[in-house]
Amino acid sequence: MFSVLPLLAGLLFMAASLTPSLIPRDWLMQGVLAGVSMAAGYVMTQFLLALWRALELPVLRGRPARIAHAVLAVPVLVLLGRGVILSGAWQNSIRARMGMPDLEVNNTAKMLALALAVFLVLFVTGKAIQALFDLLRLRLARYIPVRSANVLGLLLAVLIVVTLTRDGVVNGAMRIADSSYAAAQHLTDPSVPPPAEPWQPGSAASGIDWELMGKPGRDFVLGGPRARAISGFTGRPAKEPLRIYVGLAQDKDPQARAQAALDEMLRVGAFERKVLVLASPTGTGWMDPASYDALEYMHGGDVATVAVQYSYLQSPLALIFETESGLDQTTALMRAVYEHWRHLPPDRRPRLYLHGISLGAWSSMYAFNPFQMMNEPVAGAFWVGPPFTSTLWRQANGARQPGSRFVLPELDEGEVIRYASQYAPPDRSGRPWGRLRILFLQYASDPIVFYDPASLWRAPEWMHEAPAPDVSPRLRFTPVVTQLQLAVDMLVSTSAPPGFGHSYHARDYIDGWVAVTAPEGWTAADSERLKAICGQEGRLGCANG
């Protein structure tokens, strides 16, 4: 039933999948990864053997083939056994760097059983596809030459599989995911009524519908520090921060949602604040409270933040299946707000900043048009965990100084663009900023940032550097397998503790906002005091009443 050489290749891929990558894996994710890796090795080797035979090259048979297989099996099984034995230590090498406890329970048997089950499911699926191909080519061979029947049968089989997968499985799963995420948007505590304050979106005086705002928007609008808490921290009078949020259900048209946001900004006086943040949420519409809370403390509440939801899906799904939604929405909002802002008297308008996290960073970068802003630039941008697809981020990386690290580039003198991580604050060089300040905050262990599609056949550039403190030194490149590992890492990227992976810590937001917005009268001691109350265990942000 199984071909020996492809099976050995599959076991070799499985052994490689046990090595560490960027994010720690539990036995469940490791079992799925190992099974998929084994299937990938099997299929690739089977394809190469079929190509070898098609070229009519000599093939070992009988006793010589059995001897060759036995000889090859020894190192493969040794490597697999070594991987199984060391897999726990390899995972702990990542966990230790992230301050996580070592794995307590050895679930090797369950992991191996799951890997085998996944492999068998994929193997049976492959056999079914092969049977479909055989059926088609044999039927076609009755009417056309055999060679033509083989080619046409292959094309038809591929067409059928792709159609069923895309229109049946994928679209069906997407409809279920979209409806479930959409339903989750309406989950709210019924004891929490719409805001009573007229300056808050969703109130009776607002043009934004509270029920259509969605849970992420309602959490954002009701969350955050109030003026009294900010004043208690700074020792000075403070304003109530303005948070404007428009839900996806508000209107089907992204232009209409952008206009609704602008109308609300005008109603509550957002353009009369000292700092105005044009924010782009993550795929689900979530706004990380650790970032926005910190900024409001720094500027005495004299901040207005506006955001518009563009999807219900988690960021990885929205990135693949709703690519244009975030780009269209953020561009529409940027155009509406910027056009109004730039026509205000320069001495009476707020400092305008762009901000986004994860998929929000990508869409925010897309909306950043330097040609549009040539004469009237924004004050700066703070982009956190930018996805690997971000064009502006990739262009900036390509312009880094020779010798600077890929995971933490340096551009010129850092006058306009800087990079920061949990180990490298943005102002570490001591050099002055320019008029426009752009900051990328990224962790070396974040697969959303450092996934590389080309890792299918070559090592990502960052693998040629000495590993960062949050990356295991035992990470190694294996063609195909590394690609699968990084793909799994993206799926579980937020499972890392705050300060690692795709979970960004409040202390790093604080350093970032201080560097980008330069709060008046703010000191290093103020930053330390704010860090002491932000991002504590069990708290998502810095709000304190």
Side-chain angles (χ1 to χ4, degrees), residues 235-416:
R236 297 184 297 273
K239 294 183 178 181
E240 294 287 359
L242 296 177
R243 294 186 171 194
I244 297 97
Y245 191 100
V246 178
L248 178 59
Q250 181 76 23
D251 197 286
K252 294 181 179 180
D253 183 7
Q255 303 287 342
R257 293 195 296 268
Q259 186 60 47
L262 178 60
D263 292 343
E264 187 73 359
M265 294 172 70
L266 295 171
R267 186 186 72 84
V268 299
F271 291 97
E272 299 167 15
R273 292 304 175 100
K274 180 173 62 176
V275 172
L276 175 59
V277 179
L278 188 60
S280 183
T282 63
T284 60
W286 182 65
M287 305 280 283
D288 193 342
S291 178
Y292 303 99
D293 293 359
L295 179 67
E296 291 163 353
Y297 270 104
M298 288 177 197
H299 293 278
D302 201 1
V303 179
T305 304
V306 58
V308 179
Q309 187 179 26
Y310 54 84
S311 175
Y312 295 130
L313 299 175
Q314 293 284 352
S315 288
L317 294 176
L319 178 63
I320 297 171
F321 297 105
E322 292 186 349
T323 305
E324 300 301 321
S325 299
L327 306 184
D328 292 343
Q329 183 60 78
T330 309
T331 301
L333 181 62
M334 179 67 195
R335 186 179 295 115
V337 174
Y338 179 78
E339 282 302 309
H340 181 86
W341 174 84
R342 77 182 185 91
H343 286 101
L344 296 174
D347 60 341
R348 293 176 53 194
R349 67 190 181 196
R351 284 182 283 159
L352 178 59
Y353 295 94
L354 307 183
H355 182 46
I357 304 161
S358 189
L359 192 59
W362 180 50
S363 59
S364 180
M365 274 182 262
Y366 182 87
F368 178 77
N369 186 344
F371 299 104
Q372 178 191 33
M373 305 175 190
M374 195 76 71
N375 193 47
E376 298 284 351
V378 298
F382 184 20
W383 291 314
V384 180
F388 66 96
T389 52
S390 307
T391 302
L392 183 60
W393 175 82
R394 298 171 71 88
Q395 290 173 339
N397 272 15
R400 71 186 186 277
Q401 291 180 359
S404 67
R405 291 168 58 83
F406 185 85
V407 297
L408 201 64
E410 295 178 6
L411 276 72
D412 300 323
E413 298 298 316
E415 190 174 1
V416 177

Side-chain angles (χ1 to χ4, degrees), residues 33-292:
L33 173 62
V36 172
S37 299
M38 185 176 176
Y42 189 96
V43 169
M44 289 179 59
T45 309
Q46 192 78 289
F47 173 78
L48 292 175
L49 286 177
L51 183 62
W52 184 278
R53 296 189 188 98
L55 296 174
E56 298 182 353
L57 296 173
V59 177
L60 289 178
R61 300 183 185 277
R63 182 179 176 82
R66 291 193 293 272
I67 293 175
H69 291 156
V71 170
L72 288 173
V74 174
V76 169
L77 294 176
V78 168
L79 287 173
L80 178 60
R82 176 178 178 271
V84 170
I85 293 171
L86 295 177
S87 60
W90 284 338
Q91 292 303 311
N92 287 335
S93 73
I94 318 174
R95 298 173 69 90
R97 280 160 178 76
M98 296 184 176
M100 301 171 67
D102 287 350
L103 294 171
E104 296 180 356
V105 180
N106 190 340
N107 291 303
T108 303
K110 289 195 289 186
M111 182 272 291
L112 292 175
L114 178 59
L116 179 61
V118 171
F119 169 74
L120 290 176
V121 168
L122 295 176
F123 178 81
V124 171
T125 302
K127 284 294 185 181
I129 295 173
Q130 183 179 4
L132 175 63
F133 165 62
D134 290 338
L135 175 65
L136 292 172
R137 70 181 181 85
L138 291 175
R139 290 291 181 89
L140 291 169
R142 298 177 183 178
Y143 310 102
I144 58 178
V146 173
R147 183 171 296 179
S148 299
N150 289 340
V151 173
L152 184 58
L154 178 61
L155 293 175
L156 288 174
V158 170
L159 179 62
I160 292 172
V161 171
V162 169
T163 302
L164 289 175
T165 303
R166 182 196 63 194
D167 297 338
V169 178
V170 174
N171 285 354
M174 284 304 302
R175 283 192 296 270
I176 293 173
D178 197 45
S179 60
S180 62
Y181 283 123
Q185 298 290 311
H186 298 285
L187 295 178
T188 184
D189 188 346
S191 65
V192 180
E197 301 287 352
W199 50 267
Q200 288 186 297
S203 64
S206 172
I208 297 176
D209 193 311
W210 179 251
E211 293 301 322
L212 300 180
M213 191 180 291
K215 186 177 187 299
R218 291 189 289 262
D219 290 344
F220 177 65
V221 168
L222 294 178
R226 300 299 295 266
R228 184 168 59 179
I230 296 173
S231 182
F233 177 84
T234 62
R236 297 184 297 273
K239 294 183 178 181
E240 294 287 359
L242 296 177
R243 294 186 171 194
I244 297 97
Y245 191 100
V246 178
L248 178 59
Q250 181 76 23
D251 197 286
K252 294 181 179 180
D253 183 7
Q255 303 287 342
R257 293 195 296 268
Q259 186 60 47
L262 178 60
D263 292 343
E264 187 73 359
M265 294 172 70
L266 295 171
R267 186 186 72 84
V268 299
F271 291 97
E272 299 167 15
R273 292 304 175 100
K274 180 173 62 176
V275 172
L276 175 59
V277 179
L278 188 60
S280 183
T282 63
T284 60
W286 182 65
M287 305 280 283
D288 193 342
S291 178
Y292 303 99

